[in-house]
Amino acid sequence: MPLATSRIPASTTTCMLGGTVLCLALATPQAQADETTASLYLWGTDVDQTLEGGTRLETSRQTVMENLEFGLMGTLVHRRGPWLYGFDGLYADIGKDGDVDVPVESEEPDGPDAIEAALDFTTRTTMAHAFVGHEWYRDANWSVYGTGGIRYTRFDTDLTVETDDGARRFDTEDNLTDATFGLRGHYSFTPRWSTPFIVDVGTGSTEISLQAFTAAEYAWGASSVTAGYRYMKWRLDDSDFLEEVIYEGPVVAYSYRF
């Protein structure tokens, strides 16, 4: 696009040179083109739920993957100048049933340490995180953004435990909305290899929610693949069933920039 310049006397060579340098300097921040990155990822997570009263339900990532009935996870980030706008969403439906030994505490000296029970467990997790970031620091290797956003999380949990003495059913729905603040960015080792990272904290419907992520990324052309580790924790303030939920495990992702 042609630059608009004011009329300058031809004899004022110094002013012309100064004006040229100033125009180039002002144009530099706009040299970075807008960019959008879409990512699909798979999260091999453990699920650790602490119920009110201290009872823990731990589901290994192997069990999660074997019993994942449906899952969809993705991220969309748009960068424009020093700003970024993003959305991260996931939905996972996990079902598990079978015969298990449930530990018990008996007041009888010779009482059993465990009882056999039929367990039917289903948990559905929905998360949507919209955020805005502004570039805080950049050099040849580092790019760091400060971020703020809103994270919505919904936990639907159905648990039925059946023993010889009868059956107990737990059914809960928790809808959580937190304001979040954090950092995200990457460190580039080479034009192809980098380490992206994310850390944020949230509060609102929860006492606190946390997210931490780091990975190794390899890029070629407009594509990249990422392998890393993600940790998320929600500590609930007011729930009839859940006290704390932790998701953690390895992540693999494919991203495309346009």
Side-chain angles (χ1 to χ4, degrees):
M1 184 176 68
L3 294 175
T5 60
S6 58
R7 183 172 299 172
I8 302 174
S11 60
T12 320
T13 306
T14 304
C15 291
M16 291 179 63
L17 291 174
T20 301
V21 172
L22 179 60
C23 289
L24 290 174
L26 292 174
T28 300
Q30 300 175 4
Q32 297 178 4
D34 295 357
E35 180 181 87
T36 301
T37 303
S39 306
L40 291 175
Y41 61 90
L42 180 63
W43 189 7
T45 179
D46 291 334
V47 179
D48 186 351
Q49 295 178 314
T50 302
L51 312 184
E52 289 291 340
T55 302
R56 292 181 64 186
L57 298 175
E58 298 180 75
T59 308
S60 69
R61 67 181 58 98
Q62 179 179 352
T63 300
V64 169
M65 299 308 293
E66 289 175 351
N67 296 276
L68 182 65
E69 297 181 4
F70 181 78
L72 181 62
M73 308 170 189
T75 304
L76 188 67
V77 176
H78 177 72
R79 291 177 175 82
R80 183 167 188 171
W83 292 93
L84 67 78
Y85 310 90
F87 176 82
D88 178 26
L90 72 85
Y91 176 80
D93 187 345
I94 303 165
K96 174 69 175 175
D97 59 73
D99 295 327
V100 297
D101 289 330
V102 179
V104 297
E105 295 183 5
S106 175
E107 297 180 357
E108 299 295 331
D110 298 327
D113 296 327
I115 58 175
E116 186 176 304
L119 178 70
D120 188 349
F121 174 69
T122 301
T123 181
R124 292 173 294 276
T125 302
T126 305
M127 189 199 74
H129 185 199
F131 53 90
V132 176
H134 191 272
E135 191 171 81
W136 175 62
Y137 179 79
R138 176 183 290 273
D139 63 17
N141 301 103
W142 287 97
S143 174
V144 182
Y145 291 81
T147 61
I150 299 293
R151 177 163 49 230
Y152 169 78
T153 311
R154 173 172 172 167
F155 296 114
D156 292 296
T157 304
D158 300 319
L159 174 65
T160 301
V161 180
E162 185 174 354
T163 66
D164 294 337
D165 296 329
R168 294 190 64 187
R169 184 173 185 270
F170 304 91
D171 184 1
T172 185
E173 176 185 307
D174 294 286
N175 294 279
L176 312 169
T177 303
D178 284 353
T180 64
F181 306 91
L183 296 172
R184 68 171 53 218
H186 69 272
Y187 178 83
S188 300
F189 297 96
T190 71
R192 292 184 180 273
W193 286 98
S194 63
T195 298
F197 61 88
I198 301 169
V199 59
D200 64 54
V201 296
T203 190
S205 298
T206 67
E207 182 179 330
I208 191 170
S209 59
L210 303 170
Q211 174 178 211
F213 166 78
T214 188
E217 182 176 84
Y218 179 78
W220 72 99
S223 299
S224 62
V225 291
T226 306
Y229 200 86
R230 186 181 192 183
Y231 174 92
M232 295 196 74
K233 175 181 177 179
W234 297 262
R235 186 163 185 82
L236 281 66
D237 241 347
D238 184 19
S239 173
D240 296 330
F241 185 61
L242 293 173
E243 182 177 300
E244 186 175 270
V245 180
I246 296 175
Y247 280 24
E248 61 176 319
V251 174
V252 292
Y254 170 77
S255 302
Y256 185 80
R257 299 182 302 278
F258 55 93

